[in-house]
Amino acid sequence: MLKSSKIVLCLGVLLGGSVAVLPTKVRATRAVDAAQVEVSLTLPRLLALEMIGDGVPGTSTGGAATTWNSTTNAYSASFNVSDHSDATHPFGTTHYNVTCNYLAAATPTSGSETAAEQAARLADDCSHGWLVSVAPAAASGGYAAMTPSNNSNAARIKSNSSNGLSGASSNWLLKIAGVAKTTDASGATVASYSPTPETAFNNQFGTIPASSGVVVTGNTFSDNGDDTYTYLGDQQFDAIYGVSAGTDVPADTYTGTLTYTLAIRAAN
């Protein structure tokens, strides 16, 4: 006969060395088949060069104001002789945005591949970088040319950086400025990066190519060094125009038209 007993924490432990074992409840379980759900999102390849907002009109050192037409993407102004643009008074500035989001597989998905198959796999692979070229609508004497509205006027305003923008002679030039960023597409902080202007247009007004010529390059991906890449996102650059009015051409309205073309760098 037990002298005393006490239940502790419902374990039925009895003083005096005796233990009462409580009955164990058995619960039946029911097996449930697992259901797997897959969510897939396909994003299209995108290669785009777009203007961000309207152009920014400037002024000349003589005070002549430039206007911007958003329908024709055109800058215009009436200059007096010796009026000209400079770093402080650009004729106009256009902001451009580059999108290039396609990343090809680093290696063939299976087995070896022919040269044609490799070219197809690497087509539009943005990890090699992008480039933007500029081509004028008219050229004269090996220079990009502004043409007069009066068709009896044989004069042309030729783009030649050696003539400068002092107003001593008529001229039109181009300068490119990359826009720096310090965050990638996900918002993570990264080392500062920006498109790279070609030397002739970097921080200076350069001669506009007489035929298609590269003016700025960039890369929307950063190379991690282990066959993987981080997507940086869109990149921007500014195209800045300089114009000079001299006495070397007769009075008229001269127009120059430029076409910007975005392309992907070929694989090395």
Side-chain angles (χ1 to χ4, degrees), residues 21-64:
V21 179
L22 299 180
T24 301
K25 293 183 178 180
V26 177
R27 295 183 178 178
T29 59
R30 179 182 177 185
V32 178
D33 290 338
Q36 181 175 332
V37 176
E38 181 178 287
V39 178
S40 177
L41 174 63
T42 300
L43 296 176
R45 301 179 189 180
L46 184 59
L47 177 63
L49 175 66
E50 57 185 339
M51 190 180 298
I52 306 174
D54 283 345
V56 180
T59 59
S60 74
T61 55

Side-chain angles (χ1 to χ4, degrees), residues 72-163:
T72 59
N73 295 336
Y75 297 98
S76 61
S78 295
F79 274 26
N80 294 317
V81 171
S82 79
D83 285 351
H84 61 278
S85 300
D86 56 26
T88 308
H89 306 86
F91 189 74
T93 301
T94 308
H95 306 292
Y96 288 100
N97 186 79
V98 175
T99 304
C100 189
N101 70 349
Y102 176 61
L103 184 64
T107 57
T109 54
S110 61
S112 59
E113 62 183 357
T114 65
E117 289 171 338
Q118 181 187 55
R121 176 172 56 84
L122 297 178
D124 299 333
D125 182 358
C126 298
S127 69
H128 303 303
W130 55 266
L131 54 86
V132 169
S133 57
V134 169
S140 177
Y143 295 97
M146 300 178 76
T147 57
S149 60
N150 182 353
N151 56 19
S152 64
N153 178 9
R156 301 290 186 269
I157 297 179
K158 301 174 184 179
S159 178
N160 187 349
S161 61
S162 63
N163 290 337

